Amino acid sequence: MGKLILFVCTGNTCRSPMAEYYFNSRIKEMGKESEFNAVSRGLCVGSHLQMSENAIKVLESNNIMRNICDILHISQQIDAEIMQKADIVYGITENHAKILKKDYPQYGQKIFAMPENINDPYGGTLEVYKECFEKIKQAVDIIIEELKNAGK
């Protein structure tokens, strides 16, 4: 089993699931799915919400969501079990990373912020989600390069 990468945002309905699905689609394109897998969680998850409609639309327009199982993403709360399992944890913003380090100090060495803070698009227009996704793509591409280089 490969390394488990965990993306964490606030509600696990927009940013972290988009990062998860984009990461996994890029890893699959590279033929590295046995080396890496991403999951996502939220710091303040409501009552098991679906991924936001605009997040789904953006992923679909980028040919990332390909089947009904993808659309059935349900938000999940961060917990000690997934923190322990994850090899690397990325807070979508520096603040997410700080909260994770405060709440899970024993895992501080594997918690990082994304290369750029990514603002929450929740409640925004499709255009706002597209802009958010472009920032997520750039950040995840940097992370993938770092992971590839670390494995050399």
Side-chain angles (χ1 to χ4, degrees), residues 7 15 18-23 25-26 29 58-59 61-64 92 114-116 118 129-145:
F7 293 103
R15 293 171 289 177
M18 287 195 291
E20 169 192 352
Y21 283 90
Y22 178 69
F23 180 96
S25 87
R26 290 279 294 127
E29 286 171 8
V58 168
L59 291 172
S61 70
N62 283 271
N63 296 316
I64 292 173
I92 298 293
M114 293 282 270
E116 176 185 350
I118 299 169
Y129 275 81
K130 287 179 181 176
E131 290 170 15
C132 176
F133 183 67
E134 286 305 312
K135 289 182 178 179
I136 287 170
K137 281 172 46 177
Q138 292 170 4
V140 168
D141 286 343
I142 290 168
I143 289 168
I144 289 172
E145 277 305 307

Side-chain angles (χ1 to χ4, degrees), residues 80-150:
E81 181 182 357
I82 194 67
M83 286 297 294
Q84 189 270 326
K85 287 180 182 176
D87 293 292
I88 306 173
V89 180
Y90 290 99
I92 298 293
T93 66
E94 284 183 33
N95 197 45
H96 291 126
K98 284 180 188 172
I99 292 167
L100 288 165
K101 286 180 179 183
K102 182 178 104 15
D103 290 350
Y104 299 96
Q106 68 274 37
Y107 303 120
Q109 75 285 356
K110 65 180 177 181
I111 299 170
F112 304 92
M114 293 282 270
E116 176 185 350
N117 282 331
I118 299 169
N119 292 330
D120 194 350
Y122 186 77
T125 64
L126 185 57
E127 197 56 42
V128 168
Y129 275 81
K130 287 179 181 176
E131 290 170 15
C132 176
F133 183 67
E134 286 305 312
K135 289 182 178 179
I136 287 170
K137 281 172 46 177
Q138 292 170 4
V140 168
D141 286 343
I142 290 168
I143 289 168
I144 289 172
E145 277 305 307
E146 289 172 353
L147 291 170
K148 282 179 15 188
N149 292 334

Side-chain angles (χ1 to χ4, degrees), residues 13-78:
T13 60
C14 305
R15 293 171 289 177
S16 60
M18 287 195 291
E20 169 192 352
Y21 283 90
Y22 178 69
F23 180 96
N24 286 334
S25 87
R26 290 279 294 127
I27 291 299
K28 187 172 185 177
E29 286 171 8
M30 298 164 60
K32 303 266 187 198
E33 54 269 71
S34 65
E35 295 177 44
F36 302 102
N37 182 51
V39 295
S40 63
R41 297 290 189 274
L43 294 173
C44 302
V45 172
S47 56
H48 303 293
L49 302 171
Q50 288 187 305
M51 192 183 314
S52 73
E53 188 176 329
N54 282 339
I56 292 170
K57 286 178 182 175
V58 168
L59 291 172
E60 285 176 334
S61 70
N62 283 271
N63 296 316
I64 292 173
M65 300 188 87
R66 295 184 177 94
N67 61 56
I68 193 71
C69 293
D70 291 343
I71 296 169
L72 295 177
H73 168 89
I74 300 296
S75 61
Q76 294 182 69
Q77 179 71 34
I78 190 77

